[in-house]
Amino acid sequence: KALVIGCGSIGRRHISNLLKLGVEVFAYDKDLPLLERTLKDFNIKTYDFRSTHLYFDGWVLAVPPIWHIPFAFEALEHGSHCFVEKPISNTLDRLDELIASYEKAKLTLMVGYQLRLNERLKEVKDIIQSNEYGKLLSLQANYGYYLPYWHNEDYHKLYTGHKSEGGGITFDASHEIDYVTWLVSSPVTETKSICSKLSNLDIDVDDTTDIILRFENGTQANIHLDMINKRYTRKCDFIFENRTLHWEWRDENEYFFEMQNFINCIQGKSKPPVDGKSATETLRLCLQILNNK
């Protein structure tokens, strides 16, 4: 039994996938019309926090980052495993306490960086580790898509455009930061970045970020993130000593595999691909990038 908090596009996607996996799903959202529409579309029930507490095996948090930590602590109080959408938060406050509490309770805390489940990227990681094409010298990751085109929703309602809710392209597209550091598997020793608002979108956050990372093993990464590109772009070039590889994202059901993995974690069959500690390191790097440190 799972409780999905947040009925926006990603919450609805998680609901759909959980139902396909045979999970009994309840949903909650403070936006009552959105909640009612979701309950009707999926023929599921809501959960009234004012009523008698129900036990859920897992909570799935698809709310703005500022609410991730409070809801994760509440899930812990209920004795439930917790899946948190990325980023794990917009601040490091109480994260160490949260992670230690989940470990002490022997409960799963999993964070939604689903690109680690992408089969092509896993193949690239194997190539890097095998040294098949020689050392990975550099890589160039690129993500971009115009915010008003996201999710078929009014972009003004998306947390992504609001600093007060933990928005901004650096946080929202931190998938790229996460998978790049996961692939290279070496400490970051130097960070340079420019985070800007270049568009006339009605937002108060960064809409374009350019990042250079230098790793301890000598690899260098260039990462471009934006919410202004009218053409959807998610790709990466990997420059090895002896060959160059090109990767572009295609929907390979990573969201479905993500929920499947979360269920397996609840059942004790596997460990999360991204746990609280790993997601905290990605958040820490995001904050360094935003502060150009």
Side-chain angles (χ1 to χ4, degrees):
K1 183 185 295 185
L3 171 62
V4 177
I5 301 180
C7 295
S9 61
I10 189 61
R12 290 171 63 89
R13 188 189 291 250
H14 290 322
I15 290 169
S16 175
N17 287 328
L18 287 167
L19 290 172
K20 290 175 184 175
L21 289 162
V23 176
E24 183 182 1
V25 180
F26 287 69
Y28 173 79
D29 197 293
K30 66 178 182 179
D31 183 332
L32 294 182
L34 176 60
L35 175 61
E36 289 298 325
R37 187 164 67 251
T38 301
L39 301 181
K40 181 179 179 181
D41 289 345
F42 293 101
N43 192 27
I44 58 176
K45 299 176 182 178
T46 190
Y47 174 65
D48 188 345
F49 281 84
R50 296 167 297 180
S51 67
T52 303
H53 289 312
L54 296 176
Y55 172 74
F56 296 96
D57 298 287
W59 287 35
V60 175
L61 307 184
V63 291
I66 59 167
W67 297 109
H68 288 176
I69 302 306
F71 274 123
F73 271 113
E74 186 158 356
L76 179 67
E77 291 174 4
H78 284 69
S80 300
H81 302 266
C82 190
F83 173 91
V84 184
E85 263 303 330
K86 56 76 201 162
I88 190 170
S89 180
N90 66 320
T91 172
L92 295 171
D93 295 347
R94 300 195 73 190
L95 271 181
D96 288 343
E97 177 190 352
L98 180 72
I99 292 165
S101 298
Y102 268 85
E103 289 178 347
K104 183 177 180 180
K106 297 182 179 180
L107 293 169
T108 295
L109 179 61
M110 177 174 167
V111 183
Y113 285 111
Q114 79 278 356
L115 286 181
R116 292 208 199 182
L117 299 173
N118 180 274
E119 291 299 326
R120 305 290 81 75
L121 286 181
K122 288 193 286 185
E123 290 175 7
V124 172
K125 187 171 180 65
D126 289 341
I127 290 171
I128 294 171
Q129 292 178 334
S130 71
N131 210 36
E132 180 179 351
Y133 302 141
K135 176 181 171 56
L136 176 64
L137 301 176
S138 70
L139 53 85
Q140 300 167 1
N142 189 319
Y143 170 81
Y145 197 43
Y146 190 46
L147 181 62
Y149 295 168
W150 291 20
H151 312 310
N152 295 316
E153 297 178 62
D154 178 357
Y155 81 87
H156 294 89
K157 297 180 180 179
L158 300 175
Y159 85 84
T160 307
H162 304 286
K163 186 176 182 178
S164 62
E165 295 186 79
I169 194 62
T170 305
F171 283 143
D172 204 281
S174 56
H175 287 291
E176 271 57 33
I177 298 166
D178 179 76
Y179 85 67
V180 164
T181 54
W182 167 65
L183 289 173
V184 177
S185 298
S186 178
V188 175
T189 57
E190 188 176 359
T191 304
K192 295 184 182 299
S193 60
I194 300 177
C195 305
S196 308
K197 180 183 182 297
L198 302 179
S199 72
N200 61 359
L201 289 169
D202 185 18
I203 58 176
D204 63 358
V205 292
D206 51 305
D207 61 22
T208 304
T209 294
D210 286 287
I211 307 157
I212 299 175
L213 302 178
R214 186 182 295 277
F215 295 87
E216 188 175 90
N217 66 2
T219 299
Q220 185 167 301
N222 295 265
I223 304 173
H224 172 84
L225 312 172
D226 76 64
M227 59 174 85
I228 60 177
N229 192 341
K230 302 298 195 301
R231 179 178 181 180
Y232 182 89
T233 302
R234 174 161 267 159
K235 61 185 180 180
C236 189
D237 288 308
F238 301 90
I239 302 172
F240 293 86
E241 288 178 305
N242 303 318
R243 187 170 178 179
T244 297
L245 298 180
H246 178 76
W247 170 81
E248 289 194 35
W249 183 76
R250 299 289 183 269
D251 191 347
E252 297 181 3
N253 295 316
E254 292 101 339
Y255 289 102
F256 177 83
F257 298 144
E258 193 172 52
M259 287 297 102
Q260 188 176 56
N261 190 281
F262 182 47
I263 293 170
N264 288 338
C265 290
I266 291 173
Q267 296 174 341
K269 297 177 181 178
S270 67
K271 294 182 179 180
V274 184
D275 60 15
K277 289 181 178 178
S278 180
T280 297
E281 290 310 306
T282 298
L283 173 61
R284 197 183 308 276
L285 185 52
C286 286
L287 292 170
Q288 290 175 4
I289 289 165
L290 284 166
N291 292 312
N292 195 22
K293 293 181 179 180

